[in-house]
Amino acid sequence: MSNLLTLTATQALAAMAKGEVSSVELTQAALARMEARKHLGASLLITSQHALQQAEAADKARKAGAGGPLLGLPIGIKDLYCTNGIRTTAASRILENFTPAYESTVTQKLWDAGAINLAKLNMDEFAMGGSNENSAFGPVKNPWDELRISGGSSGGSAAAVADYQCFAATGSDTGGSIRQPAAMCGVVGIKPTYGRCSRWGMVAFASSLDQAGIFARSVEDTALLLQTIAGHDEKDSTSAPLEVPNWVEELQKPLTLKGLKIGLPKEYFVEGLDARVKQAVMNAVKKFEAQGAEIIEVSLPTTEYAVAAYYIVAPAEAASNLARYDGMRYGLRVEGNGLVDTYTKTRTAGFGAEVKRRIMVGNYVLSSGYYDAYYTKAMQARTLIANDFAAAFKKVDVIMAPTAPTPAFKIGEKSADPVAMYLGDAFTIPASLAGLPGISVPAATVEEGGSTLPVGLQIIGNHWQEGKILQVAHAWQTMSGFTPLAIKE
Ligand code: GLN
């Protein structure tokens, strides 16, 4: 083993099971790398002491023949999962000193399975953004080219996994925040069906869209962690009362690509899509075709309204969710001259520019004079988008598309133009509005300005078809020939 940290999660777990390495050794190595690579900005809080205690306990449990499926595996957590006794900021000044008194369901499931919490990871403030430049604590640099964005909003998670600082990480996806940074950092990222995981204890952005998910370097690892965090939770009434399949086991059975029906939505291969990204996706599609898959052009005609609808629905829900940050019960409080002044001063100081923009847009589209013109219309568009997908899935098993229209751009390049930034979500938002599962898996690398940059292949499935998209992504990973980032010392 040249460097323990380049193992996949599955390999690291196997090495621990064979006694070749201990959790303490893996955890120490990961913590040392996180400290040494802090300049990337991927972590907001490295929980060294806590991680080492967990690792010692994991090693003890293993000796005693006990422990869950992730026993001793060091991972990172997007900083919007509430972690009991560990600061949780959502990358916002308003929660800069907030320490939750309870644990999110997703993270609790990870600790119950034996995982080790290395760090809380950077993100766009309240998950609002697609470049991780909206964090109150600084951007995340892309490990492939440090002048470029990591993608967002789960940029810290994507970068930490790509940079071998942890074996896997949690993310959250409202309109693309797992798939898009996974594409830009050359790792695997899955957003399951809305309702697959509990949202309890996740700092809310847009509750009808927010969904937990996983980043890892292999599809197999992604399946393993996803099946750990999925499942019904009585604390979240939107979590579905469904059995969680054993996706790892499903991956062991080889998928017959012969006859697999792959849909290509023509509205995703349009102007604005970088020619190299298109090429990378089409090359992947051709390889599937060569294996006997059937390629079928499908139409999702309402796609063009998706970004506009999302940027009404998501801010509307955000405006309501973020009303709780008023300086009264927890979080930042800036004392003012009376109640209203205290609210104003607290929220003015606590929220960043993008968050304020969304709160204003959200309240505007919900205001009585404009509600029907904006919010109702957007909800109607949302229904049409879901209907488009439902019609397509009558004809195909999965849909393939680019994850993002371009590879990672330079930090600062789009900061002055929020609409240009919003358009970067055009290919991930429709599946989010429809509540569908989607995965991004590295498709290829492209050359740009002297840098080698990854681009992602997005595979979208019908509701509850995570198993299918994982299988297709796994098939792709075994035939893609994608060269992951070499570890930088
Ligand atoms: N980039 C999108 C936005 O800014 C999606 C963010 C997300 O999925 N959390 O809202």
Side-chain angles (χ1 to χ4, degrees), residues 382-458:
R382 187 175 184 179
T383 302
L384 294 177
I385 288 160
N387 292 348
D388 283 357
F389 278 109
F393 281 119
K394 289 209 173 99
K395 295 186 212 143
V396 299
D397 300 309
V398 295
I399 288 173
M400 277 189 194
T403 307
T406 66
F409 50 85
K410 294 242 169 79
I411 293 174
E413 201 177 308
K414 294 193 186 174
S415 304
D417 189 352
V419 174
M421 196 82 95
Y422 295 172
L423 289 172
D425 304 327
F427 302 146
T428 48
I429 277 176
S432 297
L433 287 170
L436 297 168
I439 189 168
S440 181
V441 57
T445 52
V446 299
E447 299 302 315
E448 180 161 303
S451 304
T452 303
L453 301 172
V455 303
L457 168 69
Q458 184 179 201

Side-chain angles (χ1 to χ4, degrees), residues 322-337:
L322 271 59
R324 72 189 69 172
Y325 305 105
D326 57 5
M328 295 299 132
R329 284 173 295 261
Y330 56 90
L332 182 76
R333 177 187 177 97
V334 182
E335 215 57 58
N337 194 2

Side-chain angles (χ1 to χ4, degrees), residues 78 127-130 152-153 172-177 205 310-311 358 425:
K78 184 177 186 179
M128 296 176 192
S153 67
S172 71
D173 192 311
T174 305
S177 277
F205 163 14
Y310 171 87
Y311 279 98
R358 305 240 183 157
D425 304 327

Side-chain angles (χ1 to χ4, degrees), residues 285-302:
V285 169
K286 279 191 200 121
K287 281 200 187 173
F288 276 100
E289 196 173 20
Q291 301 286 319
E294 205 183 317
I295 312 301
I296 300 168
E297 189 185 89
V298 294
S299 176
L300 303 170
T302 325

